[in-house]
Amino acid sequence: MSPFNLTGSTPATFILTGIPGMEQLHVWISIPFCSMYLAALLGNGVLLFTIWTERSLHQPMYLFLSMLAIADLTLSTAAVPKMLALFWFRAREISFGACLTQMFFLHFTCSAESVILLAMALDRFVAICFPLRYGAVLTPSAVAKTGLAALLRSFCIIFPCIFLLRRLPFCGHNVIPHTYCEHIGIARLACADISVNVWYGLVVPFTVIVLDLVLIAVSYGFILLALSRLPSRTARHKAFHTCGSHVCVLLLFYVPAAFTALTQRFGRNIPPEVHILLANLYVLFPPLLNPIVYGVRTQQIRDKVVKVFVCPKSRLLRQ
């Protein structure tokens, strides 16, 4: 069967090559990748279960954290299973529709995570600058609307990419030198002008992400100003500690994302295997480290995890 749709210019399947130049190491690379993916599933699963079962954690800060955990699971699951199938079973083929679906969920989840991180920054801003109004501002309805806004904004930004790709003719080119499908990687296979794809893929998400970063920076500017006015050093330290986890997560998300996006478009001197390896780590590191960061730095989460998973076992042993 021909890999191309003979009735049109859209290929029936694409071929994912994996990491170019490192094909002989795919099996060895899959071991840490699989381990990180399983650890991410476990960490985020434990975090979600703990927040869900403990009513004392049904607060805006932890509800936003659960949204982040769901987004992390979606991000890694959209890419890693197919990646491991490629490494282990040489399952390199992916249908055109599946490729577009994978591309959509990867970019959609990244955009949604940016909104969630902005919401978490605003949560800390209200908690520190307007503590008496915290409950009135961040109601359950406001949290739910924030989650809906993250979904709607991300959908409106990423969904046009599907139409931008479907309009392109693919004249015999169907080999993607990557482990998963992403917008520009697919567009580069087209035998037509892709300047619209390049500009849309760069300008629109970049503008939106920069806007999120500016709002996050403004929020932390007000937070630092409010902390500088606190008379108690202990109170300042406690407030800094509550923001520290969020700052770590911000760095884990935005720094690799910016590096991956910029090197993909402008880093022609960077070897492709380095770029693709880093792009793979991007879908693994944040989902792996985010629950660890919050679990280690947030005492309330640590205590509840112990209560949920350790205390029942202790009671059973005593019985």
Side-chain angles (χ1 to χ4, degrees):
M1 179 178 176
S2 172
F4 297 96
N5 183 350
L6 298 177
T7 61
S9 59
T10 299
T13 60
F14 285 117
I15 304 298
L16 297 170
T17 63
I19 305 175
M22 304 180 72
E23 289 83 1
Q24 300 301 321
L25 299 175
H26 277 176
V27 174
W28 295 104
I29 294 172
S30 70
I31 295 174
F33 279 17
C34 182
S35 300
M36 286 189 285
Y37 177 59
L38 293 177
L41 291 179
L42 177 62
N44 286 285
V46 168
L47 192 63
L48 285 170
F49 183 78
T50 303
I51 293 174
W52 178 264
T53 55
E54 285 296 317
R55 295 189 61 85
S56 62
L57 296 180
H58 293 180
Q59 303 173 25
M61 173 182 172
Y62 302 107
L63 295 178
F64 288 136
L65 182 56
S66 65
M67 293 181 193
L68 183 66
I70 293 172
D72 282 338
L73 289 174
T74 304
L75 176 65
S76 57
T77 302
V80 178
K82 178 60 180 177
M83 185 192 307
L84 294 177
L86 189 157
F87 289 162
W88 291 339
F89 311 114
R90 297 185 179 180
R92 304 196 302 165
E93 288 193 358
I94 183 171
S95 68
F96 182 75
C99 193
L100 291 186
T101 301
Q102 186 184 55
M103 178 275 299
F104 173 80
F105 277 104
L106 284 171
H107 295 315
F108 172 85
T109 307
C110 288
S111 177
E113 281 207 32
S114 183
V115 181
I116 295 168
L117 292 173
L118 171 60
M120 295 173 79
L122 295 176
D123 169 81
R124 293 298 85 204
F125 165 71
V126 176
I128 293 173
C129 298
F130 304 99
L132 298 180
R133 299 184 58 188
Y134 182 79
V137 174
L138 290 170
T139 62
S141 175
V143 174
K145 289 177 181 178
T146 301
L148 181 61
L151 296 177
L152 289 177
R153 194 193 77 166
S154 302
F155 181 84
C156 293
I157 292 172
I158 305 304
F159 194 65
C161 293
I162 295 178
F163 293 99
L164 291 175
L165 289 172
R166 292 190 68 88
R167 72 181 178 86
L168 295 173
F170 297 86
C171 310
H173 304 290
N174 72 331
V175 178
I176 301 176
H178 211 306
T179 55
Y180 56 78
C181 300
E182 48 85 29
H183 178 218
I184 299 301
I186 301 173
R188 283 176 176 165
L189 300 180
C191 50
D193 181 21
I194 64 168
S195 57
V196 175
N197 296 73
V198 172
W199 282 109
Y200 185 89
L202 179 63
V203 174
V204 176
F206 184 77
T207 302
V208 172
I209 297 290
V210 167
L211 177 61
D212 291 345
L213 280 172
V214 169
L215 293 175
I216 290 172
V218 170
S219 298
Y220 271 97
F222 282 112
I223 288 172
L224 292 174
L225 185 62
L227 292 180
S228 66
R229 296 173 179 173
L230 290 177
S232 170
R233 185 175 181 180
T234 303
R236 285 198 301 269
H237 177 75
K238 183 178 179 180
F240 271 122
H241 186 77
T242 61
C243 296
S245 300
H246 184 245
V247 172
C248 292
V249 170
L250 286 173
L251 294 175
L252 287 172
F253 177 78
Y254 284 112
V255 173
F259 182 80
T260 301
L262 292 175
T263 54
Q264 182 186 43
R265 290 167 175 81
F266 308 112
R268 297 183 180 179
N269 295 326
I270 298 177
E273 62 271 19
V274 174
H275 164 70
I276 294 172
L277 191 61
L278 292 175
N280 291 334
L281 293 176
Y282 173 67
V283 300
L284 284 165
F285 268 175
L288 171 67
L289 296 179
N290 286 348
I292 296 175
V293 168
Y294 271 97
V296 170
R297 294 185 59 88
T298 308
Q299 183 177 356
Q300 194 170 1
I301 292 180
R302 291 201 308 269
D303 294 342
K304 297 305 179 183
V305 168
V306 171
K307 177 183 176 182
V308 171
F309 291 97
V310 178
C311 292
K313 293 181 181 179
S314 300
R315 286 195 294 268
L316 289 174
L317 290 174
R318 286 197 296 270
Q319 292 174 357

